Amino acid sequence: MNASLRDLRQHVDQTPPPPLDVEGIIARGDARLRRRRAALAAGSASLAVAAIVAVAALPSSDPTSGPPAETPSPSITETPAPTGVRPLTYTDDYTVGPDLDIHWYMKSIQYGDRTIRPGIDATALDLTDDGVVMVAPDGGIHFSDGRTTEKIGETTILEGQSWAEWGVKTSPAGSLATWFTPEGPERSLVVYDTHQRKVLAEVPRPDCVPDHCSLSAVVGDRVYYEWLHVAGPRATTRLKVLDVPTETVSETDAGTLSADLRFHPRGFVKGDNYSTGEVVNQDVNDEAVYFVPRGSTLELQRVVRTTGADIDGDGEGDGPVVYGYGGFDATGRRLNLQLPAGYTPAENAYVLFQWLDDDRFAVMAGATHGSGNFGIDGWPGYGDILVCDIVRERCTLAAPGPDPGVTGSDDDAQFRLVPHLTLPN
């Protein structure tokens, strides 16, 4: 090559740059952003997790807050969220038992387009990505994939314990189910994988007498539970977490749990600000996650404040409740859910009970309205199940409520039973 470096540089400087296709770049970028929106949202959430966990690890001047310095922190692994589809699940087919402590015996369960006949008196119902977890009156825990049913464990059923799960917990996504084995010196916390059909972890918990430990949530490969610590006349509730891969139990706090939930889909953030709103899912909330009709849309509801006198001494007003509306899913998508055209909404709230996949969830009207006048006659729309699609921004009527078949007697009312939620009594 005879040209000098100076001549070559002069030639490059005099060469005009190629034309820039701005519109093409924007179009390709928009397509890439749409494909990776969920991944980018998850990545942003993971930064929030890291920040909160780092803050939680700092020394505190309050000796009563946070775990002891020597307590290891749970590992929060950034693994891709499961994307399994769960069929819509509920039952209208049951008998009423004579014992009020165990009131409902499910004879068959509608599992998508299949009908599961478990062959046991199922008194509680929960879901994994692989099938249905049920609990029998004797505390036996059973699993059905829609074809076969097998016993996978056992627990202790306490008087007054929620009929929703009888102490068994699953996650809105994934294959894990967890429970405490029957009370006694050999009691342990068990984590079972319904996909592999095997126990992944079993950690001795002899201090977890039935009324001192309660499961809070399964988030990814971590199991959160509350432990009532009694020391003399004092009793304090502490939040513990089991890291399943390492079988390590450590003390944690509500901030870490909230951050963990924010990283995973299939949850919601209440409020107008995604970064500061309250994170809730079907387990970690007070009573339930409520949606209410407002005009032509279905809105996520939150309590803003209560007014009036503090009647029960809990430091909060007991008068009328002021509500706020709106929110996001856990990945940051704002909820804008249109009700079905021509549909007359129920007069009571709709309650989250199941996610079908990362975009679709199911709610039922009147699912947690307790005992007494349960309202089959007085609550038009009771039992209606809506499936809401966050991407399509609409809800559809997936299963109209059961025919009451009553003339005014609550004892003869036809209720609808769904997974996760406390059953009517």
Side-chain angles (χ1 to χ4, degrees), residues 52-378:
I52 294 178
V53 172
V55 171
L58 292 175
S60 172
S61 59
D62 181 1
T64 64
S65 65
E70 68 273 9
T71 302
S73 298
S75 61
I76 298 182
T77 54
E78 298 184 5
T79 54
T83 57
V85 176
R86 296 183 176 183
L88 181 64
T89 305
Y90 62 94
T91 181
D92 302 328
D93 182 18
Y94 53 84
T95 59
V96 179
D99 186 350
L100 291 180
D101 288 334
I102 302 175
H103 204 46
W104 312 103
Y105 299 124
M106 304 176 202
K107 298 304 179 184
S108 68
I109 299 164
Q110 195 63 37
Y111 182 63
D113 57 2
R114 297 180 182 178
T115 299
I116 297 177
R117 301 190 182 279
I120 62 169
D121 287 327
T123 62
L125 186 63
D126 218 325
L127 295 173
T128 71
D129 285 357
D130 312 293
V132 179
V133 179
M134 302 162 288
V135 185
D138 62 357
I141 303 167
H142 303 257
F143 174 74
S144 176
D145 59 3
R147 293 177 293 272
T148 61
T149 300
E150 62 177 309
K151 185 175 180 179
I152 60 175
E154 57 183 8
T155 187
T156 296
I157 294 180
L158 295 177
E159 182 179 355
Q161 194 174 32
S162 169
W163 289 328
E165 294 157 331
W166 288 126
V168 176
K169 283 285 186 185
T170 66
S171 170
S175 298
L176 301 188
T178 185
W179 60 84
F180 289 103
T181 58
E183 58 182 312
E186 302 300 321
R187 191 168 216 219
S188 60
L189 176 58
V190 173
V191 181
Y192 183 87
D193 189 318
T194 59
H195 184 70
Q196 301 183 56
R197 304 290 183 95
K198 70 176 186 179
V199 173
L200 293 187
E202 184 165 4
V203 181
R205 296 285 93 182
D207 55 338
C208 273
V209 295
D211 58 346
H212 283 194
C213 287
S214 60
L215 293 165
S216 298
V218 181
V219 186
D221 53 10
R222 289 164 297 283
V223 176
Y224 291 84
Y225 68 94
E226 290 185 344
W227 174 52
L228 182 64
H229 176 60
V230 180
R234 298 186 59 188
T236 57
T237 299
R238 298 178 179 176
L239 187 62
K240 300 278 190 174
V241 61
L242 165 64
D243 188 69
V244 177
T246 63
E247 298 193 17
T248 300
V249 175
S250 58
E251 196 162 318
T252 186
D253 55 34
T256 302
L257 172 55
S258 179
D260 205 356
L261 288 170
R262 193 182 288 269
F263 175 71
H264 288 77
R266 307 191 190 187
F268 298 106
V269 177
K270 295 180 179 181
D272 299 322
N273 189 313
Y274 170 74
S275 299
T276 60
E278 178 190 3
V279 184
V280 295
N281 72 357
Q282 62 198 26
D283 290 321
V284 184
N285 50 272
D286 293 332
E287 292 188 349
V289 178
Y290 290 100
F291 287 82
V292 294
R294 288 176 60 82
S296 62
T297 62
L298 193 69
E299 300 287 348
L300 180 63
Q301 185 184 68
R302 69 185 186 277
V303 175
V304 176
R305 67 181 184 276
T306 55
T307 61
D310 181 12
I311 297 173
D312 56 11
D314 63 356
E316 299 180 357
D318 296 297
V321 179
V322 178
Y323 293 105
Y325 304 93
F328 308 81
D329 80 335
T331 67
R333 296 177 293 186
R334 183 176 287 277
L335 301 176
N336 179 24
L337 304 169
Q338 299 296 313
L339 288 165
Y343 173 68
T344 301
E347 294 182 0
N348 45 291
Y350 292 76
V351 181
L352 170 71
F353 70 90
Q354 176 189 345
W355 283 83
L356 281 71
D357 54 37
D358 288 353
D359 298 323
R360 298 178 300 146
F361 62 92
V363 294
M364 189 181 94
T368 64
H369 280 74
S371 58
N373 180 16
F374 198 75
I376 298 300
D377 290 333

Side-chain angles (χ1 to χ4, degrees), residues 384-400:
D384 282 357
I385 292 177
L386 300 180
V387 170
C388 299
D389 190 313
I390 299 172
V391 173
R392 296 177 64 202
E393 299 187 340
R394 62 179 297 183
C395 301
T396 58
L397 179 59

